Amino acid sequence: PDSHGTVWHMTKDGRLMFSDNETTERLYDGMPTFEGYCGCFLDRQKNLWVLCYNAIHKLMFSYRDVRSLTECDGEHVRCMHRFRDGSYWICQRNNMQILIYDRNDLFKGYLAQDGTIKQQPTEFRSPVYCIYEAADGRIWMGTRRGGLLRLTPTGKDGYAIEQMISNTAKYNDVYDIARDRHGRIWLAMLDGGVRCLNENSIPLSASLKPQSNYDYKNFSRARSLSLYHDTLLIATSEGLAVADISSTNLNNVKFKYHKYDKNRKNTLSSNLADYVFVDSHRRVIVCTEN
């Protein structure tokens, strides 16, 4: 038995069986049958070592409490954001619901179009694709076909909603949001490439002028952003765009572009870049669609 009360049994032909009681035993299908099984033993840390003719395997028994959130009801989750206080929101794409949970995983309700929280299933204005939490507590949300929204807590268990980019504007699909150290908000837009506005912009008058030196003709479909110090990386459907944004003058920002090149080994695997981020070892991870 392991420390969680599960009894494990290895058969002579290398199949790993388990039971949560003394009567029912089932095959553990998390791994294939151990070929050439010779024997096994437990070490002092309760790890199971399996000896085979051509290999030695180490099995570690840990307990992970995973449960399904019944409120999601199997719907497509497009965005999830955990806030600084430990609470989190889950945003569904097809039914446009925003589910609100506290830091203890207690379901609080649904965010309604007017910024109040309802107990009954309620749709939001548009599918939410990204969320950014500002230092002043305001929440920025990028939507599909609904523009950019800014939410301010009202203190009455609700939010005042401001429309920062009109849902009738030419470019109103906001897929990602990032803030640089100068207080500028960078947006990845499906047909609008990358745009920039000030964090204190006035609703509906926020400037979304084309960014100088950005190639909107060939890199118009921006999908995600990653900020590492003063380097901005933009995953697009046409490749990866990179810029040094240390200057306070946006006109000084220059963009470089990386695309798939069959003649180079160190290249993108595809131009259809869906997601980009930089890990703690300063490695750039690019996820491509195909």
Side-chain angles (χ1 to χ4, degrees), residues 1-8 18-21 45-47 59-65:
D2 63 21
S3 59
H4 307 292
T6 301
V7 178
W8 299 89
F18 74 98
S19 63
D20 295 323
N21 53 60
Q45 287 76 40
K46 300 297 183 180
N47 301 311
L59 279 64
M60 296 174 290
F61 300 95
S62 60
Y63 181 71
R64 181 177 297 171
D65 184 11

Side-chain angles (χ1 to χ4, degrees), residues 48-61:
L48 178 65
W49 294 79
V50 182
L51 311 180
C52 301
Y53 286 124
N54 300 315
I56 299 176
H57 304 273
K58 178 184 177 183
L59 279 64
M60 296 174 290
F61 300 95

Side-chain angles (χ1 to χ4, degrees), residues 236 239 268-276 285-290:
T236 79
L268 292 177
S269 59
S270 166
N271 288 332
L272 275 167
D274 273 339
Y275 190 74
V276 59
I285 312 299
V286 183
C287 304
T288 59
E289 185 171 319
N290 58 0

Side-chain angles (χ1 to χ4, degrees), residues 210-221:
Q211 179 64 41
S212 62
N213 304 314
Y214 185 83
D215 187 354
Y216 287 96
K217 180 179 179 181
N218 297 308
F219 293 85
S220 63
R221 294 178 293 175

Side-chain angles (χ1 to χ4, degrees), residues 186 188 193-194 211 213-216 218-228 230-245 253-260 268 270-271 273-278 284 286:
W186 293 87
V194 63
Q211 179 64 41
N213 304 314
Y214 185 83
D215 187 354
Y216 287 96
N218 297 308
F219 293 85
S220 63
R221 294 178 293 175
R223 295 182 175 273
S224 78
L225 305 171
S226 181
L227 261 174
Y228 181 76
D230 285 325
T231 301
L232 176 66
L233 301 101
I234 308 156
T236 79
S237 297
E238 298 83 19
L240 182 69
V242 183
D244 181 347
I245 58 172
V253 176
K254 308 293 183 182
F255 293 86
K256 295 183 178 180
Y257 306 94
H258 302 268
K259 295 177 70 71
Y260 166 72
L268 292 177
S270 166
N271 288 332
D274 273 339
Y275 190 74
V276 59
F277 70 99
V278 181
V284 178
V286 183

Side-chain angles (χ1 to χ4, degrees), residues 64-277:
R64 181 177 297 171
D65 184 11
V66 179
R67 66 182 180 88
S68 175
L69 297 178
T70 57
E71 298 84 12
C72 287
D73 195 28
E75 282 289 335
H76 184 125
V77 174
R78 186 58 178 82
C79 170
M80 177 177 176
H81 184 84
R82 181 179 290 275
F83 296 92
R84 284 188 291 269
D85 63 0
S87 64
Y88 56 94
W89 292 5
I90 295 176
C91 308
Q92 298 179 325
R93 184 177 71 177
N94 297 329
N95 60 16
M96 297 187 294
Q97 291 179 353
I98 300 179
L99 285 62
I100 299 177
Y101 294 82
D102 67 12
R103 61 185 303 171
N104 298 314
D105 301 324
L106 178 65
F107 179 63
K108 304 294 291 184
Y110 303 85
L111 185 64
Q113 297 185 24
D114 60 358
T116 59
I117 299 176
K118 306 292 186 182
Q119 296 304 311
Q120 298 299 320
T122 304
E123 288 194 343
F124 195 60
R125 303 180 178 191
S126 304
V128 175
Y129 273 39
C130 57
I131 293 177
Y132 158 69
E133 180 185 10
D136 60 5
R138 291 187 294 187
I139 300 168
W140 295 68
M141 299 199 306
T143 72
R144 180 71 189 272
R145 299 182 301 274
L148 179 68
L149 305 175
R150 187 172 65 186
L151 283 65
T152 303
T154 61
K156 300 177 182 179
D157 204 19
Y159 300 86
I161 302 179
E162 302 168 285
Q163 188 88 37
M164 306 301 291
I165 300 175
S166 173
N167 57 2
T168 60
K170 182 179 180 181
Y171 307 116
N172 58 11
D173 293 330
V174 181
Y175 273 35
D176 205 0
I177 304 172
R179 178 192 181 277
D180 66 20
R181 64 185 179 91
H182 301 299
R184 299 174 301 205
I185 300 292
W186 293 87
L187 306 175
M189 309 187 74
L190 183 61
D191 292 313
V194 63
R195 307 279 172 145
C196 184
L197 54 86
N198 189 281
E199 191 171 28
N200 296 317
S201 298
I202 300 174
L204 286 179
S205 65
S207 174
L208 278 181
K209 297 178 181 179
Q211 179 64 41
S212 62
N213 304 314
Y214 185 83
D215 187 354
Y216 287 96
K217 180 179 179 181
N218 297 308
F219 293 85
S220 63
R221 294 178 293 175
R223 295 182 175 273
S224 78
L225 305 171
S226 181
L227 261 174
Y228 181 76
H229 296 304
D230 285 325
T231 301
L232 176 66
L233 301 101
I234 308 156
T236 79
S237 297
E238 298 83 19
L240 182 69
V242 183
D244 181 347
I245 58 172
S246 58
S247 175
T248 57
N249 187 346
L250 288 175
N251 292 325
N252 295 332
V253 176
K254 308 293 183 182
F255 293 86
K256 295 183 178 180
Y257 306 94
H258 302 268
K259 295 177 70 71
Y260 166 72
D261 184 351
K262 65 179 180 181
N263 297 317
R264 291 176 53 230
K265 291 183 178 180
N266 187 18
T267 182
L268 292 177
S269 59
S270 166
N271 288 332
L272 275 167
D274 273 339
Y275 190 74
V276 59
F277 70 99

